[in-house]
Amino acid sequence: MTESTQRIAIVTGGSGGIGRAVAERLAADGMSVLVHYAGNPRRAEETVDAIVAAGGTATAFRADVADENEVAALFDEAERRYGGVDVVVHTAGIMLLAPLAELDLDDLDRMHRTNIRGTFVVDQQAARRVRSGGAIINFSTSVTKIALPGYTAYAASKGAVDAMTLILARELRGRDITVNAVAPGPTATPLFLEGKEQSVVDHMASMAPLERLGFPADIAEAVAFLAGPARWVNGQVLYANGGII
């Protein structure tokens, strides 16, 4: 850490859903936040405006998470504007669903590029640049354990994220940097709700003993824990799903 007590966070996919909730929560905890987005600058600016209106500090920056040059520029911007990087939360990802026997292989390749390569590229820059005392937080999914039909390719891509997370934590031995993943269960975001009949949503909400879907704020709470006080939690996948598994 530098002499400044201000911590700096990069949140990928910070323009909506869970990513926006995470960006707003970390800003509320006192961090300056660089809000990454891929293709919707208006939504990213809405996130920034909400953080600033609440008294926080944030700016937006566009990058393709699977492009190493653009991700390097994202980290460059955080260092140029705020002086360094302490927390990286990688929420950016895509979910394309179909049974294994029916999945279009182009969809498999798209998820591989964003969810696997994208995580690898972001983590690579994070491993090189996050300051001592920092945290790297990837995003997995509880579907790797729930094993819902139709999620094969998506869950496989997130299984790769789990592996990267556990091994990177050990590769950063001696750096005082934690590396963990958050694995949400069914969460009420546009990504999850889109295209689902209400009966399906109701069934998935009933799976948890708490008998509801998660909310983005629930997931942001887990991220804030790993990004702040949880210095003895390292190399773990934290399942945030209301007790489904």
Side-chain angles (χ1 to χ4, degrees):
M1 299 283 288
T2 65
E3 292 182 1
S4 172
T5 58
Q6 184 74 35
R7 301 184 81 211
I8 314 304
I10 294 173
V11 179
T12 70
S15 62
I18 291 172
R20 175 170 177 168
V22 167
E24 292 183 359
R25 174 56 193 268
L26 296 184
D29 286 347
M31 299 187 198
S32 297
V33 181
L34 186 59
V35 177
H36 157 270
Y37 68 97
N40 195 323
R42 180 184 60 80
R43 290 177 64 202
E45 288 300 334
E46 287 174 357
T47 303
V48 169
D49 290 346
I51 289 171
V52 172
T57 301
T59 50
F61 194 88
R62 196 207 74 81
D64 174 356
V65 294
D67 184 306
E68 62 270 32
N69 294 318
E70 293 189 14
V71 172
L74 172 69
F75 279 75
D76 288 344
E77 175 68 7
E79 292 176 344
R80 182 192 68 79
R81 183 176 291 272
Y82 298 120
V85 181
D86 301 293
V87 175
V88 174
V89 186
H90 181 51
T91 78
I94 60 173
M95 181 171 66
L96 305 169
L97 303 180
L100 184 149
E102 301 171 15
L103 184 77
D104 188 316
L105 292 180
D106 286 342
D107 288 345
L108 177 66
D109 291 342
R110 286 178 60 197
M111 280 191 286
H112 184 286
R113 185 178 189 279
T114 299
N115 297 354
I116 300 179
R117 180 186 169 93
T119 300
F120 197 99
V121 169
V122 170
D123 280 6
Q124 189 172 68
Q125 287 295 321
R128 294 170 179 172
R129 306 216 205 183
V130 168
R131 298 186 287 200
S132 177
I136 300 169
I137 302 163
N138 291 324
F139 260 68
S140 180
T141 176
S142 290
V143 176
T144 57
K145 300 290 187 182
I146 302 171
L148 292 172
Y151 285 76
T152 315
Y154 176 71
S157 74
K158 293 299 188 175
V161 172
D162 291 353
M164 281 185 264
T165 299
L166 273 56
I167 295 171
L168 181 57
R170 288 149 181 81
E171 290 180 346
L172 295 185
R173 173 182 291 273
R175 295 272 303 279
D176 190 25
I177 297 169
T178 61
V179 186
N180 295 287
V182 174
T187 305
T189 66
L191 178 69
F192 171 78
L193 295 172
E194 184 178 0
K196 290 185 174 67
E197 296 182 2
Q198 188 60 44
S199 60
V200 174
V201 173
D202 291 343
H203 170 70
M204 298 187 81
S206 72
M207 292 170 65
L210 298 176
E211 297 186 324
R212 66 171 175 85
L213 295 176
F215 299 113
D218 295 319
I219 312 306
E221 185 79 18
V223 171
F225 171 65
L226 294 173
R231 298 308 302 168
W232 199 234
V233 180
N234 189 28
Q236 304 297 319
V237 179
L238 178 61
Y239 292 90
N241 57 38
I244 290 177
I245 54 171

